[in-house]
Amino acid sequence: KAGVTQTPRYLIKTRGQQVTLSCSPISGHRSVSWYQQTPGQGLQFLFEYFSETQRNKGNFPGRFSGRQFSNSRSEMNVSTLELGDSALYLCASSFSGGLSYEQYFGPGTRLTVT
Amino acid sequence: TQLLEQSPQFLSIQEGENLTVYCNSSSVFSSLQWYRQEPGEGPVLLVTVVTGGEVKKLKRLTFQFGDARKDSSLHITAAQPGDTGLYLCAGERDTGRRALTFGSGTRLQVQP
């Protein structure tokens, strides 16, 4: 099976702009989660989508939003970018029906805000 | 305060040495996972433990889940430079919703 793919891998944006990141989960996985990873805060949970519905949400401002399509692909949008949004954004998919909730991560999108 | 505390935060050792990384919490987890992340890549799942007291081995890596399901450890025997990376533990709490809480990570460097 192909792994989780994320596009683009690298992105440079200017403060105030918006950005959309894309994630394609492993075939058969219906749950997609997004995380922000920074050196200072580590891996922080943004939100999770399951069957096109946001099922869980972390403590991030409303500038961070996402959606999931009927084929389980997901997008994440950040509006009005701030310098502090520079981070590695990771997408993870999971089967969500097993005994334990295992996450399979993509390579991430490195976002730099200048 | 992190729900999952990992220690040590950094570890630099020579090839061939043994090491143990700890993941501790005051909360009970229904399952706990360990991931390894290399620079510029996403974390890769190494193992999942679900039963208190469970021990799993993956070649030179030994994972243990505490009896009370509040803590876990990762022991590496005869570390190799290829073991270098960021090790993350992540726990799923039995709250009825599927979500993982990640520890802050242990950055391991193995010198040849």
Side-chain angles (χ1 to χ4, degrees):
Chain A
K1 275 186 181 178
V4 177
T5 58
Q6 291 186 246
T7 56
R9 290 293 310 274
Y10 303 92
L11 207 47
I12 300 175
K13 289 287 188 179
T14 303
R15 197 169 38 181
Q17 289 185 315
Q18 75 162 16
V19 66
T20 299
L21 312 181
S22 182
C23 171
S24 292
I26 291 172
S27 178
H29 286 189
R30 293 167 62 192
S31 168
V32 174
S33 297
W34 289 89
Y35 296 84
Q36 181 196 66
Q37 187 175 34
T38 59
Q41 299 297 319
L43 240 164
Q44 293 188 286
F45 172 72
L46 281 155
F47 31 65
E48 183 222 3
Y49 285 87
F50 179 81
S51 292
E52 302 179 65
T53 301
Q54 187 180 86
R55 189 162 67 170
N56 291 311
K57 190 177 188 304
N59 295 324
F60 277 80
R63 299 185 297 107
F64 293 82
S65 63
R67 58 177 177 169
Q68 186 180 34
F69 302 96
S70 58
N71 61 358
S72 294
R73 191 176 70 84
S74 177
E75 287 183 347
M76 185 193 115
N77 184 75
V78 188
S79 62
T80 319
L81 284 165
E82 299 177 0
L83 295 179
D85 297 332
S86 294
L88 181 67
Y89 289 88
L90 292 160
C91 163
S93 74
S94 60
F95 175 62
S96 195
L99 181 64
S100 58
Y101 191 53
E102 297 173 342
Q103 303 263 271
Y104 295 87
F105 286 85
T109 294
R110 172 72 63 186
L111 172 64
T112 302
V113 182
T114 62
Chain B
T1 304
Q2 288 269 1
L3 189 61
L4 273 170
E5 297 283 349
Q6 280 189 244
S7 62
Q9 290 187 355
F10 301 97
L11 198 52
S12 181
I13 61 172
Q14 294 296 123
E15 183 176 0
E17 291 184 21
N18 301 333
L19 67 117
T20 301
V21 176
Y22 299 93
C23 177
N24 296 303
S25 177
S26 57
S27 300
V28 176
F29 293 96
S30 57
S31 72
L32 196 135
Q33 297 152 32
W34 285 91
Y35 295 81
R36 181 172 68 209
Q37 184 178 21
E38 298 187 22
E41 298 297 328
V44 174
L45 178 66
L46 296 174
V47 78
T48 299
V49 285
V50 297
T51 306
E54 183 176 2
V55 176
K56 279 192 174 179
K57 292 192 175 184
L58 186 67
K59 296 183 181 177
R60 294 175 294 100
L61 279 60
T62 301
F63 305 85
Q64 185 162 8
F65 201 12
D67 291 342
R69 291 185 292 136
K70 292 182 179 181
D71 54 82
S72 180
S73 64
L74 157 60
H75 181 79
I76 301 179
T77 303
Q80 298 177 0
D83 295 327
T84 294
L86 177 68
Y87 288 82
L88 295 157
C89 65
E92 181 182 11
R93 297 176 69 190
D94 193 12
T95 59
R97 68 169 209 171
R98 311 228 75 165
L100 286 182
T101 300
F102 279 82
S104 53
T106 293
R107 193 163 297 280
L108 170 65
Q109 183 160 20
V110 182
Q111 308 280 3

